[in-house]
Structures are given as structure tokens and as C-alpha cells.
Amino acid sequence: MLPKFDRHTLLFSANSFAAAMLALYIGFALGLPRPYWAMTTAYIVSQPLAGAVRSKAVYRVLGTILGAAATVALVPNLVNAPWLLSLALALWVGGCLTISLLDRTPRSYVMMLAGYTAAIIGFPSVSQPGAIFDVAVSRVIEIGLGILCATMVHSLVFPRPVGRVLKIRLANWLGEADRWALDVLREEADPATIARDRRHLAAAASEIRMLAVHLPFDTSRLRETTGVVRALQERMLLLIPLLSGLGDRMEALRDVREPRVREALNAVIAWIEAGAPREAGLDLIAELRTLAALRSDANWSSLLVESLLVRLSEAVRALAEGHALMARIDDPDAPLSSALDAATRENARHGMHADLPLALLSGGAAAIAVMLSCAAWIQFGWGDGIAAPVMAAVFCCFFAALDDPVPAIKDFGLFSLLSLPLAALYMFAILPAIDGFPMLVAAMGPPLLFLGLYIPDPRRMGAALAVLMGFCNALALQETFSADFAGFLNGNLGQFVGLLLAITVTAALRSMGTDASARRLLTRTWRNLARLARARQAPEPAAFAAVLVDRLGILTPKLAEVGHAHDLVGVDALRDLRVGMNLVAVQAARPDLPRDGKEHVDAALDGVGDHFAALAAGARAAPGAELLARIDAALRDLAEAPAASAVQGVAGLVGLRRNLFPKAPAFVPEVAR
């Protein structure tokens, strides 16, 4: 299929080619032993957005230096013990990969590059250990040269800023959040449709978060708004459970007919439709708080109304602050409240989903694949087989973040194989007739420019890079040209031995289907909810929401893909997020509750913890009548408690009851009957 030929794609391909040729030229001029590494690296580093190139470039350089330092330390000391050296390098690759998988930001490139760079430098250097320092320095220069050229060209020649794309994504997300709020407040939309669209919002929030990581390295003025974007992301993380839980509160009040509730809802609807103006939002929040405090009596309906109005004021505050921060992104002079302005200068970092057992398994698979490749190389005395452990390390690292890396590794190997006839044509027919660098650039232009058009498309990027890397590495361009057909075949055969072993080991130890990955994420979520329910203190809401929303963004497409699986039918990850935030609300209110009420609340929380622990252990039973009785007992106590201490606990427990027992009749205490 032909690639896109829009302006951004054509410019990206031209810039990437220019960066690669510049790196190759400088490599020739400096007399580097493998200048083609600089050319290939320039393509690997290139990204459609300039900020992404610059952010990854810094970490790639650091990782390359760290990997080179490891080889300088290991190779001279262990070169006389090939098996021990192989084990040391294999463990280094596996350990670095494990650490990198625990961080899903560009920082992960430091350890990933450190891992397979050590393999790339260390294994080919065993035949000349005395020169390892010079070889390591040369590799760092070659790779650093490619990174520098790609960064410079993509940053200076019509750069495409991250900020511009991020600004559009943020505005679209905030607009969808407004529509979600209107759907909830009007009670018009189909609940299934709302749930589907809001899971999409959670996935979009995770994508925005990953994109915003590159903003400090951007080429646009929006680089200066990094703190504003971070503060806006925090409001996004809170808005998802706030708006989702608001629907539960309104459902609990469906039979409560109080004029002040409808008036409050209409006021919020009018405010959102007016564009959520800042000053009006502040006034609306104050009115909702005042209205919530006006309890004419101590009946159950008034307590429910108060909890709804408090949650509504929280949602309005998050929306108002989100719009104010978006206005500041559009206009640096837009006003912010003193508290919100201070929030933009904070440097809080919220956690993201990380899976240590899976990271360890991935690192172990990489180490075993490298060791088996070394066994083939050492046992058969196969000189050119040194490429096998190198490529095993590269393939295992490149695709370790996927649920099942095997298909991606196979595709990469297949497209690398398809590049060999093209490389052979150039090496034995075209390059021998070329004299001078300008002619070389002209000859390399057609295939590289064409392949570069596919890299910006995420669906075709892997195939394009596989062909491009296979083509460039097979040519192994150096200052003096020599064509050796036997060496060409033997060297590439070693690469495919490494590929085969990477596939075999990964398939045996690491691969999992999408359904297994979804179950794994759900299990971790349920364990977190069980721990939170059994705890006796509340986590910081934004930090807790950050991890759950991030996990929800990862989980949503997996559930959509495997929804036919019988044991995943009906699983609602958004419900788990609402349960989590309701647990946070109850735990936050718990210290201020009366003693009697606290005992029943603790019993209800322990029951919720037992339920989610059972789910995590593999049980698929719905929550039982005993848990419902515990929640109702806690609600009966809180119905008679002072409003100040009860309202938050009631709000959380009503939300828990609604999410865990959606078909149960609405709770009404005896005093209200």
C-alpha cells in the first residue's frame, strides 16, 4: 500500500534522509570504523514531532555511554572465560531491560540502550579485548553522531512542535469532558454509550500524558507551559472518576424530588453551555457549597442531596480549573487564581502502571536468548556467529513492551529478510560503479526517501524500520568499499540465528495473549482495591486516580478486543475506577466519624476488601448479601450522624453500594420510612 504524501510526511522523510546523510558524511570525514551506524541511528532516533526527537536523544546518549562503560568493565576482565563473559553480558542485557520496562517515559531509553549497546559493542570485541576502550569510544561517537544529526535537523528544519499537537488534543479532551458532564446532568444519554465513550476518554488521557512528557524538550513557546499542562492533566485525572461517580449519585437520588437539586443541575448545565467562564464558575462553586450546607432537617434525603451537591461542586471546580488552565495555555496572560497559579509551579509526579513480575520475566527471556545464541557461537566456533547474540539482545529489547512480542519479532525478521535482495543489488551492482559522496547520496536517496514515508504511520513504522535497518546494516558502508559475497551471506545468517532464538525463547517464556494481559491488569487493579479497602488511611486522590486511569487507558482496548471471552463479559474497568475513588472518599471521611459508625464502616470496608481479594484470586462470584448488609448497616449509622462528619462517608458508601449492587433497591434507613 502506498504511503501518505501529505506535507508533514514528505518533510519528515526529507529531514530524516538529510540527517542520515549528514551523519554518514561526518563519519567518513572523521574516519570512524563503522560510519553506517551513525546513518542507521539517525533513522532510529527520528520522530515526527521535534520534541520527541530531542527528549529521546538525551536519554539515548546517556544509555549508549552507560552501555559502553559496561563493556569496558566486563570484556577485558572476562575475555579469557567466554562462558562467564557471555553470562555477564546476558545478565546485563536482562537486568537493564527489566529496569527500563518499569518506566514508560523516555527515561526508559537509558537502561534499554545501556543493555543492548553493551551487547552490540561487547560481543564483536572479544577477538580484540585490548582495543575495547577505543572500540567503545568509537561506537559512542558513531551512535552519538547519528543522534546529534537527527536532533539538529528535525529541530531546525521546519520542526513540527509537540506543543501544537498537544494543545489540540487537550482542547478536544476538555470538550468531550464538557459533553460527558452535560449527558450526565441531563440524564438523556444511553448508559452503555456513556460508559464506552468515557473509557475512550480515559485512554485519551493516558495518550496525552505520554505526549506531554516530551513538552519540556519542545521547539515551540508552549515549552514554557509545562507546569500548566501538568496541572491540567491532574484535573483530567480527577474529572474521569468525578463525572463517572456523579451519575451514581444522581441515580441514588432519582426518587428524591427536591427543587434545589434541579435548580443546581440546571445552573451547572447553563454554565457549561456558556463555555465554563472562570468568574461564573467560582460563583457557582460557592453557591453549590452554600446550598449543600442548607439542611433544613436531618432526614436521609437531605443527606443524599448534600452529598450530591458536594460531589457536583467538586466536578464543577475541576472543570472550571481545567478551562482556566486551557485558557492560560492559549494566552500566557490569562488570569489564574493564586492557588491554581501555585499548582502550575509544583513539580509533583504521579505514578504510572508498572508490572515488576512481567518486567522480570521479559528480562529473563532476553538473558536466556542471548546465552543460547552465545552457545551456538562458541560451541560451533562460528566466527560470524557473533551477530546472533547481538541480534537476540536487540530483538528481545525492542519488542518487550508488547503483550506478545513474537509476531512483531517475526514481522521484523521477515522485513529484514526482504531487505537483503535490495542490499545485495546495491552492494554488488550499484555501489561498485559509484565514485564520490554526492553520487552515493543520489544512489541512496530513492529507497531511503521512500521508506521514510512509512515511518510516521504507527501501523507501518515497524516494517519500514526493519527494511531500512536491514538495508543499511547489510551494506555496512565504509570509507573504502569492498564487496564480499561469502561474508555478506554469513554475517546475515548470524542475525537470523539470533532472530530465531529470540522468537523461540520469547514464545516459550514471555508471550501472552490479549485476554491473558487483560486478566493480569484486572487482577492487579482488584488487588489494589482490596489493599485500599483494608487500609485505614486514604491516599492522595490525584495520585491514586493517576495509576488507575493509566491502567484503564491500557486496559480499555484490550477488553474491547477480547470482549467475547466468557469470563471477561460484563467486566467494567470504569466501574472499578469509581469503586476506587469511593473507597478513597470513605477512607478520607473515616477519622471524623462517630465511634459506632466507624465500626460498621470498617466492617463494610473489610467486606469490600474480601470481595476484591477473591476476584484477584480467580473467583468470579458477585458480591454477596452479607456485604450489602454491612454497607447498609454503616449507612444506617451515618444517617443519624452529624452532617459534617457523615456527608463524605455517605457519598462514598452510596457510590460503593450503587457500583457493587446495581440491581439492589435504593437504600432508605428506618428513620426515613
Side-chain angles (χ1 to χ4, degrees):
M1 185 181 294
L2 289 177
K4 291 169 62 177
F5 290 100
D6 60 27
R7 172 179 174 271
H8 294 303
T9 303
L10 291 171
L11 183 61
F12 171 81
S13 181
N15 281 351
S16 299
F17 179 71
M21 292 300 101
L22 178 62
L24 184 63
Y25 177 79
I26 297 175
F28 284 156
L30 295 177
L32 296 176
R34 296 187 180 183
Y36 64 91
W37 276 27
M39 176 180 67
T40 306
T41 300
Y43 268 104
I44 295 174
V45 173
S46 293
Q47 300 283 327
L49 301 177
V53 178
R54 293 165 67 171
S55 70
K56 292 182 178 180
V58 175
Y59 298 117
R60 286 180 187 273
V61 170
L62 292 175
T64 301
I65 294 173
L66 183 59
T71 58
V72 172
L74 293 175
V75 172
N77 293 308
L78 300 176
V79 70
N80 293 322
W83 288 105
L84 190 57
L85 175 59
S86 298
L87 178 61
L89 286 173
L91 291 176
W92 174 264
V93 171
C96 289
L97 177 59
T98 298
I99 297 172
S100 74
L101 290 175
L102 298 177
D103 186 352
R104 290 171 35 240
T105 70
R107 290 191 302 269
S108 65
Y109 285 97
V110 173
M111 297 309 298
M112 182 179 290
L113 264 291
Y116 69 72
T117 296
I120 290 174
I121 297 174
F123 286 118
S125 300
V126 294
S127 60
Q128 44 179 346
I132 183 61
F133 182 79
D134 294 335
V135 172
V137 170
S138 296
R139 298 301 173 265
V140 170
I141 293 174
E142 289 157 359
I143 294 172
L145 177 60
I147 293 171
L148 177 63
C149 290
T151 304
M152 183 176 65
V153 172
H154 284 285
S155 298
L156 298 178
V157 183
F158 300 108
R160 189 182 181 194
V162 169
R164 188 178 305 161
V165 176
L166 181 61
K167 182 178 174 180
I168 294 172
R169 297 271 182 91
L170 287 170
N172 290 340
W173 194 96
L174 203 55
E176 288 190 42
D178 286 342
R179 289 190 288 275
W180 181 9
L182 291 174
D183 288 342
V184 170
L185 296 174
R186 290 170 176 161
E187 300 181 274
E188 294 177 353
D190 174 49
T193 302
I194 289 180
R196 183 197 64 215
D197 293 344
R198 304 329 156 198
R199 286 192 293 267
H200 165 72
L201 269 185
S206 293
E207 293 172 6
I208 289 171
R209 188 178 184 186
M210 299 299 293
L211 190 61
V213 170
H214 304 300
L215 190 57
F217 303 88
D218 201 22
T219 56
S220 70
R221 72 161 185 84
L222 288 177
R223 180 179 65 251
E224 302 169 1
T225 66
T226 300
V228 180
V229 171
R230 186 168 56 248
L232 178 54
Q233 285 179 275
E234 291 184 1
R235 275 68 191 170
M236 292 166 59
L237 293 172
L238 289 174
L239 267 171
I240 293 172
L242 278 174
L243 293 178
S244 182
L246 190 60
D248 297 331
R249 303 293 189 277
M250 294 184 63
E251 184 67 27
L253 274 168
R254 186 176 295 277
D255 297 327
V256 177
R257 306 296 182 185
E258 287 212 21
R260 59 175 175 153
V261 174
R262 193 65 261 170
E263 291 173 5
L265 297 179
N266 290 337
V268 175
I269 289 172
W271 173 71
I272 295 174
E273 289 177 337
R278 175 177 174 271
E279 294 298 333
L282 296 176
D283 294 340
L284 183 58
I285 293 168
E287 291 175 10
L288 290 171
R289 290 287 183 179
T290 302
L291 194 60
L294 295 177
R295 289 184 66 188
S296 57
D297 49 38
N299 63 36
W300 176 248
S301 296
S302 294
L303 191 58
L304 286 180
V305 168
E306 186 175 354
S307 69
L308 170 66
L309 293 174
V310 169
R311 177 54 63 95
L312 186 60
S313 69
E314 293 172 353
V316 170
R317 179 179 294 280
L319 267 179
E321 291 181 347
H323 279 279
L325 290 166
M326 193 69 223
R328 172 62 69 90
I329 293 174
D330 290 330
D331 179 8
D333 297 323
L336 292 177
S337 66
S338 57
L340 199 54
D341 188 58
T344 64
R345 292 191 293 272
E346 293 177 357
N347 196 28
R349 300 288 182 185
H350 295 310
M352 301 175 70
H353 168 73
D355 191 335
L356 178 58
L358 189 60
L360 288 170
L361 191 60
S362 298
I368 292 172
V370 171
M371 277 302 297
L372 291 176
S373 301
C374 290
W377 158 52
I378 294 171
Q379 286 296 103
F380 294 108
W382 179 23
D384 288 328
I386 199 68
V390 172
M391 297 313 296
V394 170
F395 285 128
C396 288
C397 290
F398 268 14
F399 305 105
L402 300 176
D403 291 336
D404 185 2
V406 171
I409 297 175
K410 287 180 178 178
D411 289 343
F412 199 95
L414 175 62
F415 284 104
S416 296
L417 181 64
L418 293 177
S419 72
L420 295 184
L422 178 63
L425 173 65
Y426 266 73
M427 177 168 284
F428 301 108
I430 296 177
L431 293 184
I434 289 177
D435 184 17
F437 190 77
M439 289 292 294
L440 177 62
V441 172
M444 297 290 288
L448 295 184
L449 285 169
F450 180 74
L451 290 170
L453 296 173
Y454 287 96
I455 296 177
D457 185 350
R459 296 170 299 174
R460 303 187 181 99
M461 180 180 64
L465 281 177
V467 175
L468 196 148
M469 291 173 62
F471 174 67
C472 293
N473 289 332
L475 289 182
L477 293 174
Q478 296 179 339
E479 192 172 4
T480 57
F481 176 76
S482 61
D484 179 3
F485 188 74
F488 176 83
L489 288 180
N490 208 18
N492 283 289
L493 178 62
Q495 294 186 32
F496 286 99
V497 169
L499 170 73
L500 179 62
L501 289 172
I503 291 173
T504 303
V505 174
T506 301
L509 299 180
R510 166 62 182 80
S511 294
M512 67 174 68
T514 306
D515 55 341
S517 177
R519 289 189 187 93
R520 187 179 185 85
L521 285 167
L522 285 168
T523 298
R524 290 179 65 83
T525 298
W526 293 332
R527 285 175 181 163
N528 286 355
L529 293 177
R531 283 194 295 269
L532 175 60
R534 291 164 175 166
R536 291 299 178 256
Q537 58 184 3
E540 199 276 316
F544 182 77
V547 176
L548 284 190
V549 169
D550 184 45
R551 195 173 290 153
L552 178 59
I554 302 172
L555 182 59
T556 295
K558 299 181 189 294
L559 289 176
E561 184 176 343
V562 300
H564 60 278
H566 68 280
D567 56 343
L568 294 180
V569 171
V571 169
D572 186 353
L574 191 58
R575 185 211 63 171
D576 292 338
L577 174 61
R578 294 197 299 270
V579 167
M581 297 310 291
N582 285 318
L583 286 171
V584 171
V586 176
Q587 296 285 24
R590 182 183 171 278
D592 298 325
L593 296 176
R595 182 175 179 180
D596 292 340
K598 189 179 296 186
E599 291 176 358
H600 282 115
V601 166
D602 288 349
L605 289 174
D606 289 340
V608 174
D610 292 342
H611 167 65
F612 281 104
L615 285 180
R620 290 293 180 264
E626 181 184 353
L627 177 55
L628 179 62
R630 290 188 186 186
I631 294 175
D632 287 351
L635 285 171
R636 272 191 291 272
D637 283 342
L638 295 185
E640 302 173 1
S645 61
V647 63
Q648 188 77 351
V650 165
L653 286 170
V654 167
L656 282 174
R657 193 179 190 277
R658 175 67 188 164
N659 283 288
L660 294 175
F661 302 94
K663 296 181 179 180
F667 172 78
V668 181
E670 294 293 334
V671 295
R673 288 180 176 147

